Amino acid sequence: MVIRPLASSAVEAAAASIHPPRDPNTLSNYNAWRTKHTTANFEIDFEAKRLRGFVDLTLESLAKEETTIVLDTSYLDVSSVEVEAAAVEFDIASSRTGAYGSPLTIKLKQPYANGVTVRIGVSTTKDCTALQWLTPAQTSNKKFPYMFSQCQAIHARSLFPCQDTPDVKSTYTFNIRSPLPVLASGLPTGARDFLPGKDGKSGTLLYTFHQEIPMPSYLFALASGDLASASIGPRSVVWTGPEELKASQWEFEKDTEAYIQAAEKIVYPYAWTTYNVLVLPPSFPYGGMENPVYTFATPTIVSGDRQNVDVIAHELSHSWSGNLVSNASWEHFWLNEGWTTYLERRLQVAIHGDERHRDFSAIIGWKALADSIEQFGEDHEFTKLIPNLRGEDPDDAFSSIPYEKGFTFLYYLEKLVGINKWDTFIPHYFTTFKQRSVDSYEFKATLLSFFAKDAEAAAALNKVDWDTWFYKPGYPPKPSFNTDFADMCYDLAAKWLLLNEQQQDQSQSSSSWKPSASDISDFTGNQIVVFLESLQTNTTPLHPKLVSQMGAIYKFTDSQNVEIVSRYLVLGLKARDADVYPRTAELLGQVGRMKFVRPLYRGLIDCDEKLAKQTFEKNKDFYHPICRGMIERIFSEKAQGSA
């Protein structure tokens, strides 16, 4: 096959012939071509840590005379491109466009007004940002290797050439060959065609899946390893390692089906047939990833107390907001996460039967929002509901802001029109944009149109300052949340702060209150979180002796709930309690979830930079590439700040 490189201006020439796309974080010319179906044919090579095979992209032509196709790639090895079994010219740009990678330009021999299927031979490389490969030593039973993908936001392009934008949705077929069980973000259609291994090694099976509901590329998901499964409901299964299966089943079997039914009552019936959970190894960088059919989840939610299953409520809610109705670009990410956080909290009310649970969760969310805004700075672009991400890596903008600022906006709109009327809009919105991608302006137009004939609601919506909500950086107006469940947390924190004042100023009289384990015996896990966070936000850190005393009395470091342990350690780091430094380093070697890793590294760097660097060097191969890159940026920011 002869490959003739194209002119370096090919990408610009193709882009000039079409209207600007809505998504600034893709290099593909998706306004000229639109992917309708994707078939991924891969062999998982654990020894080489590669996916190898070919991908078929069926593309619809939107510009009938266009003969150039531009696809996103990042660190990919593309060996061939064929159309109708004949090789065609292709070129991958020699230089990268930052996080956006290197565009693959394909030159067709003629226009295909009715569409075309392109076959691309491809292999991932060692620099692939979407995959993590674990050796047997990195898994719980030390017996088998493991691999899993994480494609959000723009990492699918490091798996295969694609239009890596949420503005494009495709159906998918997965044909995946592996020596170990495979899961993918589609419905399984069988495992067959055994091939014996070479040189006496174990053979492979072909695992096949199909996803008939169009989904964006960031929801492409694969995992393969020593997996076992158990039922957690009439249409739900949990998958994880054999040793972790019993604990995971217990954690989820009580609430999963109840959550599904509650969500169906708020929106409409679940569309993806089955809802399953894959509990991944501890290096998974997120709490959960809403891949269709199989939510990928962190093992930190398996805490033995069912205190963290709200993560499942969140990921399940994505089955409607994000998966069926997707943000058109990462600038409109709040439409995914704000809606999902809103639905998650409505599910909590439905399950617990008490509206106060929603406000209590929102109080915790507001603290996360404040942390993100303070980290970026109140005037930072990334604190806007709709940030400008042109030229930016969406991962850099990732924070609690689209979740919590988005929730706050929807909560405000609900209160504005009244919950009964608002509840009629919810299924209308998710029906209007079902299997489509939507931006904030379409959301606004649909909302106003829906209530146009309701004079009272329309008048209320006319009061909305849309530009301020969409584009003003920093904090939104804070709602008046019910604090019934939080007040006892604040009261306990106040007692510790009084002890702290006495510790700092020996002239003060001693308090008659003495802390004991009974102080928190009736607290839920989230109430302990609120207690610890309220102490974190106090302007005067706790005295180190008080932190150690608290840990000894309440046994926080013995907890299996990482939400609690991590916040206690952050409190200790703020107090510069040297007793928590070793436990912090230990936890950073056990958990790769960025929610915990980010504040713990920031705190440890401030207290003991040498230990922080040693901890990272020791564990950098444990972390997922996305998490590892985030930690490296934290160190870089620290170095720049010290310069």
Side-chain angles (χ1 to χ4, degrees), residues 128-132 149-155 283-286 393 395 398 592 594 598 623-633:
C128 175
T129 56
L131 298 177
Q132 183 163 19
S149 66
Q150 171 56 37
C151 290
Q152 193 181 51
I154 57 171
H155 299 281
S283 57
F284 184 58
Y286 298 107
D393 183 348
D395 282 350
F398 184 84
M594 293 193 294
R598 183 185 293 107
Y623 298 124
H624 188 278
I626 297 172
C627 181
R628 186 164 59 244
M630 177 208 59
I631 300 168
E632 289 170 343
R633 287 193 295 273

Side-chain angles (χ1 to χ4, degrees), residues 14 32 100 173 206 211 358 404 407 442 501 616:
Y100 303 158
T173 298
L206 179 67
Q211 182 53 262
R358 176 164 74 150
E404 299 300 338
F407 163 80
E442 290 173 318
E501 291 176 9
F616 178 61

Side-chain angles (χ1 to χ4, degrees), residues 418-617:
I419 192 168
N420 292 333
K421 291 180 179 180
W422 179 255
D423 279 356
T424 64
F425 172 70
I426 293 174
H428 172 78
Y429 169 75
F430 285 104
T431 299
T432 300
F433 295 103
K434 186 177 182 179
Q435 298 189 18
R436 294 171 55 195
S437 301
V438 57
D439 63 29
S440 303
Y441 319 114
E442 290 173 318
F443 163 79
K444 173 186 174 182
T446 302
L447 177 65
L448 296 179
S449 173
F450 181 79
F451 286 111
K453 295 182 180 180
D454 183 326
E456 184 180 16
L461 290 171
N462 283 335
K463 299 176 183 177
V464 176
D465 186 346
W466 292 92
D467 284 350
T468 296
W469 277 102
F470 282 170
Y471 305 119
K472 182 182 178 181
Y475 290 91
K478 186 175 182 179
S480 178
F481 296 125
N482 180 290
T483 61
D484 285 356
F485 292 158
D487 286 340
M488 62 185 73
C489 313
Y490 299 148
D491 291 343
L492 180 59
K495 294 175 181 178
W496 279 94
L497 292 175
L498 181 58
L499 288 182
N500 195 49
E501 291 176 9
Q502 295 165 357
Q503 184 75 42
Q504 306 288 352
D505 185 357
Q506 297 297 328
S507 66
Q508 291 194 28
S509 59
S510 177
S511 170
S512 61
W513 178 76
K514 302 296 181 185
S516 69
S518 63
D519 298 337
I520 62 170
S521 59
D522 294 329
F523 278 21
T524 65
N526 279 340
Q527 284 178 309
I528 296 174
V529 165
V530 170
F531 160 67
L532 290 169
E533 289 189 338
S534 64
L535 291 172
Q536 289 176 14
T537 57
N538 193 58
T539 53
T540 303
L542 285 189
H543 192 281
K545 289 183 178 179
L546 288 181
V547 174
S548 294
Q549 182 184 6
M550 181 188 295
I553 294 172
Y554 297 157
K555 301 187 184 305
F556 283 151
T557 56
D558 296 335
S559 173
Q560 298 302 305
N561 191 329
V562 182
E563 298 279 356
I564 293 172
V565 177
S566 65
R567 285 171 173 84
Y568 170 70
L569 294 176
V570 169
L571 184 67
L573 293 170
K574 288 180 177 292
R576 296 190 175 271
D577 175 13
D579 289 346
V580 307
Y581 299 177
R583 181 68 179 100
T584 300
E586 180 184 20
L587 186 62
L588 285 169
Q590 298 170 337
V591 173
R593 185 177 174 185
M594 293 193 294
K595 172 183 179 180
F596 305 129
V597 169
R598 183 185 293 107
L600 289 174
Y601 262 110
R602 290 190 188 280
L604 191 58
I605 289 171
D606 287 340
C607 295
D608 190 337
E609 188 169 359
K610 180 180 179 181
L611 177 59
K613 289 180 177 178
Q614 290 173 344
T615 302
F616 178 61
E617 287 301 316

Side-chain angles (χ1 to χ4, degrees), residues 6 36 62 68 78 84 90 107 173 213 334 433 465 467 513 522 536 597:
L6 299 171
K36 305 304 291 183
L62 303 182
T68 299
V78 176
E84 296 181 345
F90 70 92
K107 189 64 177 178
T173 298
I213 300 175
W334 78 272
F433 295 103
D465 186 346
D467 284 350
W513 178 76
D522 294 329
Q536 289 176 14
V597 169

